[in-house]
Amino acid sequence: MGAETAYHGEMGEQFAARAGRSVYNAYTDRPAMLRLAGDVGGLRVLDLGCGAGHYAAAFLERGAGRVVGVDGSESLLRVARERLGERAELHHHDLEEPLAFLAEASFDLAVLALVYHHVDARARLLAEVRRVLRPGGALLVSTTHPTADWNYFGGSYFADDRVSLPFGNDHALTYRRMTLETFLGELLGAGYVLEELAEPRAVEEGRLVDPGKYERTHRSPTFLAVRLRRP
């Protein structure tokens, strides 16, 4: 995430704790993204907006050869370092800025898990990801579902304003609303080829954590996730 939208300080610490057990993060988005990733054995994986390292840890457990995580929050990276140790290479970096420290064609898979809608310089980020992915490499992107945002915030479905979602007692997540047309249009316009689209629902384990939230993900859309290929 960018420096302005990264989860800093106490908010980052709260998010790190919640992401490990949340129905939405741990049992809806993460299983969907891991399914879309498929076999990662031996792959070089770039986790952009890596947060507390939950996705990176999962890729390593599934045999990824190299995992590099990037995040704009030092609070989250501290937790990620505790979780991952020396198994992953972690960088504190603003995703609004170029990924100049990463070499061309140096990754097989890039992941943007619930971070894309936080970034304003999305066209530049997609171009940078394309640069560091090898030809034929895959990009996974998940975001808030446009219909979920419309249902929650109201107004026009076609609004593209920056919205604020309460988080915890004293914090808020801020991100940019976008339509399905905008989301897919940006990805395809950046030269990627769409391979699969999913509207994730919570896996069965999520029912044990919070039955109400589990059922909610099966009644109305929460997230949107895609797998794309770099030609």
Side-chain angles (χ1 to χ4, degrees):
M1 300 179 190
E4 297 300 318
T5 55
Y7 303 160
H8 299 293
E10 182 187 2
M11 180 179 174
E13 295 167 3
Q14 289 183 16
F15 182 82
R18 185 175 296 189
R21 61 179 186 274
S22 163
V23 170
Y24 298 122
N25 295 95
Y27 298 108
T28 304
D29 185 71
R30 199 145 62 237
M33 292 290 269
L34 292 173
R35 184 188 66 78
L36 288 174
D39 182 5
V40 298
L43 297 188
R44 301 164 297 172
V45 180
L46 175 61
D47 185 0
L48 293 165
C50 65
H54 293 98
Y55 292 80
F59 289 126
L60 288 165
E61 288 167 5
R62 286 161 174 76
R66 177 194 180 204
V67 174
V68 174
V70 181
D71 203 276
S73 167
E74 187 56 51
S75 300
L76 287 172
L77 286 172
R78 277 198 298 272
V79 180
R81 292 187 190 103
E82 292 174 3
R83 172 168 286 108
L84 301 168
E86 299 298 319
R87 296 184 297 154
E89 177 186 329
L90 300 176
H91 296 268
H92 183 215
H93 180 74
D94 187 340
L95 293 184
E96 302 287 357
E97 301 298 328
L99 303 169
F101 55 94
L102 298 177
E104 293 185 12
S106 55
F107 293 95
D108 305 297
L109 172 68
V111 180
L112 284 161
L114 299 180
V115 66
Y116 187 73
H117 49 292
H118 290 282
V119 178
D120 285 323
R122 296 190 299 274
R124 180 165 61 190
L125 177 59
L126 291 175
E128 281 290 273
V129 173
R130 183 182 171 103
R131 178 183 67 81
V132 302
L133 271 178
R134 66 166 174 80
L139 169 61
L140 308 183
V141 185
S142 61
T143 189
T144 59
H145 198 291
T147 302
D149 284 339
W150 186 30
N151 286 337
Y152 184 85
F153 294 106
S156 170
Y157 168 80
F158 297 99
D160 63 355
D161 53 326
R162 185 167 280 280
V163 294
S164 181
L165 189 67
F167 177 80
N169 296 325
D170 304 307
H171 305 289
L173 313 180
T174 63
Y175 61 91
R176 181 77 60 182
R177 287 173 68 174
M178 65 184 77
T179 63
L180 178 61
E181 180 179 62
T182 297
F183 176 66
L184 289 180
E186 290 179 357
L187 295 168
L188 299 179
Y192 296 91
V193 177
L194 180 64
E195 293 190 329
E196 187 174 351
L197 181 149
E199 295 173 302
R201 277 84 83 191
V203 296
E204 187 63 29
E205 291 89 336
R207 190 196 297 271
L208 303 176
V209 175
D210 190 318
K213 290 180 180 177
Y214 170 89
E215 293 295 342
R216 200 172 304 146
T217 70
H218 287 259
R219 289 197 309 270
S220 60
T222 304
F223 301 129
L224 191 63
V226 293
R227 178 186 171 100
L228 306 113
R229 175 172 48 83
R230 181 217 190 278

